[in-house]
C-alpha cells in the first residue's frame, strides 16, 4: 500500500513494514523521523497478525486478524477514526468499532471506509466532497454508519489519490459517492457499473485504479467464451436435462470432459448414454442449471441462500472446486439469523473452511446467534460439538 510519500508492505505472516516520509508519524515508528528502509511496525500491535493494510495521503491503517482496526499518521481530518484530530506516531485502535468485526478496510485521500462481516459500511475522516456518504459535508472524527437502504455490502473501494468512494452489494449493485467530475455526491448513488473498478476509471479525478488491475486483450472468441455461448443452446446440444418441467440443453462431450460424474454416466454400458433426455428430481432447476452452467463457464451466479443446494450437489458429485466456490458465495451471505443453519450445512457436507468461518462468525456474535430459531433447530450432535468448540475458544470464561 502506498501513500503520497510513504509505503507499507504486509508479509505472509501478517507482519507490517513501513518506510518513507514520516513527517506526520505515518511510518508508525513512534517518531517523525523519515525512514529510508522498511521497518517493522511493532508498537501497540505487537505480534498480532494483520490481514490487510491501507494508506491515505499521509496516514496508515491496518486490519488485524481479530477484526480490530488500527490507524496512525496524519489525523487532521479525523481519518484515523480516533475521536480527535491529533496526529499519531504509533498505531492506535479505533475504539468506536469495538464489538464490530471488520472484514475490509480502504483509504481515500483523507477518509477511511470499513466493511463489517455483516455487510455494514462505516466511514470517517474528510468529507468536503461528501465522500463519507453521510448525506452532508461535515468531517467525522469517529466511524459513522453509512445508510445503504438495507443493502448488504460485500466490497468497498477508495484510493489515496481521490475523494471518491464506491461499494458493491451482495446482489452485484455498484454504488458511488464523493467527488465525481467536479460534483459532490453526499449519499451513495446506484450506478450501472458491474464492478467498483469502473467507478474509478470513469469518475475519479485523476483517473486511477483503487487496486492492481490487469486487462487481457483477446482477439476473437476464447475457448471459454465459445463454450459459454454454447450453454443451453438447443440448436447445437445433443442432450437435455429436464428439471421441474423445464429443459436445459447441453452437450455430452463437454459434460464428460468437465465432470467425472457424467464421464461415468455416459458410457456405452449405461442406458443414459443412448438417451437424449434425462429427468432430474433430486435438485431444483436453479441449482442444477447453475451446476451445468458452471461446467461451461467456471462461474457460479447464485444468491448465497441458493448456493447451499449447489454445495449439496457439489458434495454428491465430488466436485471439489465447485464446492469451494459455493463456500465463498455462502460466506458473503452469512448473518446472525442464518449462521447456525449454514454451520450445520458445512458440517453435513464436510466443508471444513466454511465450517470454521461460520464458527468464528457465530463466536463473534454469540449472544444474538443463540437466540435465533436456526440455533434452536440444530441437531443434538452438532450443537454439542459447537458448544465444545466454543468452550475451547474461551466463549464461557466469564
Amino acid at each position: 500500500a502506498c501513500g503520497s510519500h510513504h509505503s507499507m508492505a504486509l508479509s505472509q505472516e501478517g507482519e507490517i513494514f513501513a518506510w518513507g516520509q514520516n513527517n506526520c508519524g505515518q511510518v508508525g515508528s513512534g517518531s517523525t523521523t523519515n525512514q529510508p528502509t522498511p521497518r517493522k511496525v511493532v508498537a501497540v500491535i505487537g505480534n498480532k497478525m494483520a490481514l490487510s493494510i491501507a494508506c491515505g495521503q499521509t496516514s496508515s491503517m491496518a486490519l488485524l486478524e481479530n477484526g480490530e482496526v488500527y490507524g496512525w499518521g496524519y489525523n487532521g481530518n479525523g481519518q484515523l477514526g480516533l475521536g480527535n484530530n491529533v496526529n499519531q506516531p504509533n498505531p492506535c485502535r479505533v475504539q468506536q468499532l469495538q464489538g464490530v468485526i471488520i472484514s475490509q478496510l480502504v483509504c481515500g485521500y483523507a477518509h477511511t471506509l470499513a466493511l463489517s462481516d455483516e455487510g455494514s459500511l462505516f466511514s470517517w475522516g474528510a468529507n468536503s466532497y461528501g465522500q463519507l456518504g453521510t448525506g452532508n459535508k461535515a468531517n467525522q472524527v469517529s466511524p459513522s454508519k453509512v445508510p445503504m437502504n438495507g443493502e448488504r455490502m460485500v466490497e468497498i473501494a477508495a484510493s489515496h489519490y481521490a475523494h471518491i468512494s464506491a461499494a458493491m452489494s451482495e446482489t452485484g449493485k455498484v454504488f458511488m459517492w464523493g467527488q465525481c467530475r467536479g460534483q459532490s455526491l453526499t449519499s451513495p448513488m446506484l450506478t450501472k457499473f458491474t464492478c467498483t473498478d469502473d467507478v474509478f476509471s470513469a469518475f475519479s479525478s485523476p483517473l486511477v485504479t483503487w487496486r492492481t488491475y490487469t486487462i487481457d486483450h483477446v482477439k476473437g472468441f476464447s475457448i471459454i467464451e465459445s463454450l459459454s455461448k454454447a450453454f443451453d443452446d438447443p440448436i447445437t446440444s445433443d442432450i437435455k436435462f429436464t428439471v421441474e418441467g423445464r429443459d436445459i440443453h447441453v452437450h455430452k462431450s463437454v459434460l464428460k470432459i468437465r465432470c467425472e460424474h457424467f464421464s461415468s454416466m455416459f458410457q456405452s454400458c449405461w442406458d443414459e448414454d443412448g438417451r437424449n433426455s434425462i429427468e432430474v428430481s433430486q435438485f431444483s432447476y436453479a441449482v442444477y442449471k447453475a451446476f451445468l452452467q458452471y461446467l461451461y463457464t467456471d462461474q457460479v451466479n447464485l444468491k448465497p441462500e441458493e448456493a447451499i443446494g449447489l454445495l449439496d450437489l457439489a458434495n454428491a458429485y465430488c466436485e471439489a472446486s465447485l464446492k469451494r466456490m459455493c463456500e465463498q458465495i455462502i460466506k458473503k451471505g452469512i448473518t446472525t439469523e442464518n449462521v447456525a443453519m449454514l454451520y450445520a450445512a458445512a458440517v453435513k457436507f464436510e466443508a471444513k473452511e466454511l465450517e470454521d468461518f461460520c464458527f468464528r462468525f457465530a463466536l463473534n456474535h454469540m449472544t444474538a446467534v443463540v437466540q435465533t430459531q436456526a440455533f434452536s433447530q440444530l441437531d443434538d450432535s452438532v450443537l454439542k460439538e459447537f458448544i465444545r468448540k466454543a468452550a475451547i475458544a474461551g466463549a464461557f470464561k466469564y
Side-chain angles (χ1 to χ4, degrees):
C2 294
S4 61
H5 292 87
H6 79 290
S7 303
M8 288 203 298
L10 178 65
S11 75
Q12 287 184 327
E13 290 73 31
E15 299 171 314
I16 302 172
F17 295 85
W19 63 96
Q21 192 177 67
N22 195 33
N23 58 318
C24 303
Q26 57 264 48
V27 170
S29 60
S31 71
T32 54
T33 303
N34 290 351
Q35 180 67 34
T37 56
R39 182 184 188 277
K40 186 177 177 180
V41 179
V42 293
V44 182
I45 62 176
N47 292 320
K48 293 179 180 178
M49 180 179 290
L51 290 182
S52 67
I53 52 177
C55 292
Q57 280 290 95
T58 49
S59 60
S60 303
M61 302 293 298
L63 170 62
L64 301 191
E65 186 182 32
N66 59 3
E68 295 176 352
V69 174
Y70 287 79
W72 59 95
Y74 184 68
N75 196 31
N77 298 289
Q79 53 263 59
L80 300 186
L82 306 177
N84 56 52
N85 295 101
V86 180
N87 294 355
Q88 299 292 336
N90 286 316
C92 289
R93 185 180 174 186
V94 181
Q95 293 291 348
Q96 196 162 321
L97 290 176
Q98 190 167 351
V100 180
I101 306 301
I102 299 302
S103 59
Q104 191 189 351
L105 186 69
V106 294
C107 291
Y109 186 96
H111 76 287
T112 308
L113 303 177
L115 181 66
S116 80
D117 64 345
E118 294 186 282
S120 297
L121 177 57
F122 298 85
S123 64
W124 60 92
N127 197 29
S128 53
Y129 300 98
Q131 58 265 47
L132 299 187
T134 53
N136 56 55
K137 294 185 178 181
N139 290 0
Q140 296 285 340
V141 296
S142 297
S144 176
K145 195 170 184 178
V146 181
M148 299 301 295
N149 297 322
E151 291 273 2
R152 180 187 177 125
M153 298 296 113
V154 297
E155 182 178 88
I156 52 176
S159 166
H160 80 276
Y161 255 109
H163 306 283
I164 193 170
S165 305
M168 176 183 284
S169 73
E170 66 176 341
T171 56
K173 296 177 182 176
V174 175
F175 298 84
M176 61 182 284
W177 61 98
Q179 186 183 34
C180 304
R181 294 183 181 171
Q183 298 185 53
S184 296
L185 299 177
T186 59
S187 297
M189 183 183 77
L190 180 63
T191 72
K192 293 184 178 180
F193 295 126
T194 57
C195 67
T196 53
D197 303 280
D198 292 343
V199 172
F200 290 84
S201 67
F203 286 96
S204 177
S205 180
L207 300 178
V208 295
T209 56
W210 71 274
R211 58 183 169 187
T212 304
Y213 194 54
T214 304
I215 299 175
D216 293 323
H217 296 282
V218 180
K219 294 181 179 179
F221 292 121
S222 65
I223 292 176
I224 195 70
E225 287 173 326
S226 298
L227 277 176
S228 299
K229 289 178 179 294
F231 174 70
D232 204 13
D233 179 10
I235 297 175
T236 62
S237 73
D238 55 3
I239 189 171
K240 67 179 180 181
F241 285 86
T242 302
V243 189
E244 297 178 342
R246 302 164 71 180
D247 295 335
I248 309 170
H249 299 86
V250 287
H251 308 76
K252 287 182 182 179
S253 56
V254 174
L255 303 190
K256 289 169 70 175
I257 291 170
R258 291 280 288 143
C259 177
E260 188 65 35
H261 172 80
F262 290 121
S263 179
S264 299
M265 177 189 288
F266 297 128
Q267 292 185 24
S268 57
C269 57
W270 299 108
D271 291 341
E272 287 85 354
D273 187 52
R275 294 161 59 182
N276 57 14
S277 179
I278 297 176
E279 190 165 336
V280 176
S281 58
Q282 62 267 48
F283 300 104
S284 70
Y285 173 80
V287 165
Y288 212 76
K289 183 179 181 181
F291 167 57
L292 294 175
Q293 190 167 18
Y294 159 78
L295 297 180
Y296 281 73
T297 64
D298 260 343
Q299 296 179 353
V300 174
N301 295 309
L302 279 181
K303 294 180 180 179
E305 55 268 26
E306 294 176 326
I308 298 173
L310 189 57
L311 178 62
D312 183 12
L313 187 153
N315 194 61
Y317 286 12
C318 300
E319 288 288 329
S321 296
L322 177 60
K323 186 175 177 179
R324 184 173 180 81
M325 196 175 293
C326 290
E327 291 180 36
Q328 298 303 318
I329 295 172
I330 293 170
K331 284 180 182 180
K332 295 179 180 179
I334 287 180
T335 65
T336 54
E337 292 296 324
N338 66 18
V339 67
M341 179 268 291
L342 295 176
Y343 174 80
V347 172
K348 178 182 178 181
F349 302 133
E350 299 178 351
K352 184 60 179 173
E353 185 178 326
L354 178 60
E355 177 187 336
D356 292 342
F357 186 88
C358 290
F359 175 75
R360 289 195 301 272
F361 184 96
L363 202 62
N364 290 327
H365 305 278
M366 184 68 84
T367 302
V369 170
V370 297
Q371 299 178 68
T372 63
Q373 184 177 356
F375 188 84
S376 67
Q377 295 174 342
L378 283 177
D379 179 79
D380 284 349
S381 60
V382 174
L383 179 60
K384 289 177 181 178
E385 178 62 15
F386 177 87
I387 293 174
R388 187 189 70 81
K389 290 170 64 176
I392 294 174
F396 311 121
K397 283 182 177 179
Y398 306 106

